[in-house]
Amino acid sequence: MSLQDPASRQTWSASSYDTHARFVSDLASAVVEWLAPRAGEDVLDLGCGDGVLTAQLADLGCKVTGVDASEDFVAAARKRGLDVHLMDGHELTFSGEFDAVFSNAALHWMTRPHLVIDGVKRALKPGGRFVAEFGGHGNVAAIVTALRASAKLNGTDPALAGPWFFPSAEVYQEMLEAHGFEVRRIGLYPRPTPLKTGMGAWLKVFRKAYFEQYGDDMERVLAEVVELLEPVLCDAKGNWTADYVRLRVDAVKA
Ligand code: BEZ
């Protein structure tokens, strides 16, 4: 059974992700810096995707285990020779095994954060750290607004338009503390993100379930959302920039 909320359920194609979303791992240097990985450490990469960052941690000498809920991503990560399990982040099965749990650009897909934090805490050794980056409050706000407007125009469920968990720093810190973590650093970081392959491609990769509900009408609705966004996220030369805001956190299991 998967505890993922139906609205946030997402399927991934590793090859289309490689073409249209490689920036996700390319822009992760700050969270890796916060992790400060040390050779020999046991690290869990939660929502490891296609394993590009997991492999970087392994190259630094960490003993890394990856988990992801997408079969396609798990297969792609295993092709890199990584130890990766198919697992829903709401249902982590590890117990006291890791010096650190690391996560990049995955936690916003997990809409029951208390279950995730519980599992992270269980997975860590005492004193282990939880270092993560994901979408924070206000993340892709223009995109979410355009998707919700599109749902309204087309008479569909707005929950499918923007299903993500984008907490403020205060809210997430309180959640972590309620689970017995000590938060060492936490903050929101605006990160305007160039979309080299355009907004249509981004929408098709990251909000697939919303557009699929329209069947044969999908391309029309997609064009409508792109048109709504053009005045705010596309410059005069046709370059698109997404309005990302990252929440980055470094906490320890007390
Ligand atoms: C993000 O990485 O912030 C993100 C990814 C997919 C949808 C929305 C946001």
Side-chain angles (χ1 to χ4, degrees):
M1 188 191 69
S2 167
L3 292 176
Q4 218 180 12
D5 170 354
S8 65
R9 196 162 294 141
Q10 166 82 357
T11 54
W12 296 102
S13 147
S15 72
S16 134
Y17 193 83
D18 188 44
T19 308
H20 300 294
R22 183 47 57 213
F23 63 85
V24 173
S25 50
D26 287 349
L27 297 177
S29 57
V31 67
V32 174
E33 228 168 80
W34 278 30
L35 176 66
R38 297 185 282 266
E41 284 192 309
D42 291 301
V43 178
L44 175 66
D45 186 354
L46 170 54
C48 65
D50 63 2
V52 165
L53 282 179
T54 329
Q56 282 178 23
L57 299 178
D59 288 345
L60 292 169
C62 298
K63 290 180 269 167
V64 201
T65 302
V67 293
D68 204 282
S70 154
E71 288 184 16
D72 211 45
F73 274 160
V74 167
R78 284 183 180 153
K79 274 197 197 144
R80 299 180 199 277
L82 297 163
D83 173 25
V84 173
H85 305 259
L86 184 66
M87 200 181 289
D88 184 333
H90 297 94
E91 300 170 272
L92 295 176
T93 57
F94 305 100
S95 182
E97 292 167 50
F98 296 102
D99 298 296
V101 174
F102 169 79
S103 185
N104 179 54
L107 298 178
H108 44 248
W109 293 104
M110 302 174 202
T111 53
R112 290 169 174 79
H114 289 288
L115 293 179
V116 177
I117 295 169
D118 259 348
V120 168
K121 189 177 175 197
R122 259 194 322 276
L124 285 169
K125 299 174 187 174
R129 57 207 198 278
F130 177 32
V131 179
E133 181 170 313
F134 60 109
H137 188 68
N139 192 40
V140 294
I143 299 175
V144 172
T145 305
L147 285 164
R148 290 181 66 88
S150 149
K152 203 160 181 175
L153 281 170
N154 291 286
T156 56
D157 183 0
L160 259 188
W164 304 288
F165 170 60
F166 294 150
S168 66
E170 291 74 14
V171 164
Y172 203 58
Q173 174 157 355
E174 278 175 17
M175 280 186 188
L176 288 170
E177 287 172 350
H179 287 263
F181 279 92
E182 180 201 329
V183 177
R184 297 194 292 198
R185 294 177 278 184
I186 190 164
L188 281 184
Y189 300 90
R191 194 201 66 197
T193 300
L195 302 180
K196 290 201 178 109
T197 59
M199 180 53 70
W202 189 95
L203 290 167
K204 276 186 177 167
V205 170
F206 290 106
R207 198 67 297 246
K208 203 173 168 185
Y210 174 72
F211 292 101
E212 277 176 352
Q213 71 182 318
Y214 295 104
D216 290 345
D217 219 13
M218 175 172 152
E219 291 298 329
R220 180 194 62 78
V221 178
L222 185 73
E224 192 175 82
V225 176
V226 171
E227 192 185 331
L228 279 169
L229 286 167
E230 201 172 335
V232 278
L233 297 183
C234 188
D235 72 12
K237 292 188 165 175
N239 300 309
W240 284 91
T241 302
D243 49 341
Y244 275 61
V245 177
R246 315 318 285 163
L247 176 65
R248 198 175 308 136
V249 61
D250 168 12
V252 287
K253 176 173 166 173

